[in-house]
Amino acid sequence: MSETKIIILDFDGTLADTASVIVQTTQATIRELGLPSRTDAECAAMIGLRLIEIPPVLFPDCEVDGELYAETYRRLFKTFNTDGAVTLYPNVMETLHELKGRGYTLTIASSRSNNSLKEYIDNLDLASTITYILGGNDVSNGKPHPEAVDMTL
């Protein structure tokens, strides 16, 4: 029996530096929806949550429609997600190639939507190293619930 070796990675803040684009988009979403202002640090603390989960955490005293927030964010994201705005962290590509060469299956489980992950994987030339991706919209329960890991395995 051969041993299966799998590594499940996150994307945002693990493989790629997406913080600036996420914070800029969050701030623009807040302004467009007329929500109370938040600091960049407060916005950055939301990284890792699914978009529909952000309003009750970021605005606990406001009634914010999570679907409207997510829809607005996705539309505005295109403004800030320009060519070169998101890059891999140093040595990520070399590390992924080394791990794949050692026989590891590399996957991504992220709160980011599946379509957005696919775009980044293509744009950042990760398709040859990543075997499987699971986005936040592919699961019923967001992280840290184990559903994404269970589905990946």
Side-chain angles (χ1 to χ4, degrees):
M1 178 181 287
S2 66
E3 179 180 319
T4 301
K5 300 183 287 186
I6 186 169
I7 298 175
I8 304 172
L9 301 159
D10 189 17
F11 183 79
D12 297 291
T14 301
L15 298 178
D17 185 359
T18 56
S20 177
V21 172
I22 292 171
V23 169
Q24 290 174 353
T25 306
T26 301
Q27 291 288 16
T29 301
I30 290 168
R31 285 189 302 274
E32 183 166 313
L33 294 177
L35 296 168
S37 64
R38 295 296 185 255
T39 66
D40 286 352
E42 289 171 313
C43 294
M46 300 299 103
I47 295 174
L49 294 177
R50 295 186 298 176
L51 292 175
I52 61 170
E53 297 171 340
I54 291 174
V57 177
L58 196 55
F59 307 101
D61 298 330
C62 298
E63 191 71 31
V64 182
D65 181 337
E67 291 296 335
L68 175 61
Y69 179 92
E71 176 185 309
T72 304
Y73 180 99
R74 285 186 192 103
R75 179 176 43 77
L76 293 171
F77 182 76
K78 296 172 187 172
T79 303
F80 301 101
N81 188 36
T82 58
D83 286 343
V86 171
T87 59
L88 294 176
Y89 285 113
N91 303 311
V92 163
M93 187 64 80
E94 297 83 356
T95 302
L96 295 177
H97 283 291
E98 177 68 25
L99 291 168
K100 186 154 182 95
R102 290 184 185 193
Y104 286 92
T105 298
L106 304 174
T107 70
I108 297 175
S110 174
S111 297
R112 176 174 295 284
S113 77
N114 191 293
N115 287 339
S116 181
L117 281 172
K118 285 180 182 176
E119 286 180 29
Y120 278 128
I121 286 169
D122 289 341
N123 293 340
L124 297 170
D125 295 322
L126 294 173
S128 66
T129 58
I130 303 298
T131 303
Y132 180 72
I133 64 168
L134 195 68
N137 58 317
D138 295 321
V139 295
S140 298
N141 302 290
K143 296 186 299 183
H145 192 280
E147 181 181 3
V149 172
D150 292 341
M151 286 179 69
T152 299
L153 296 175

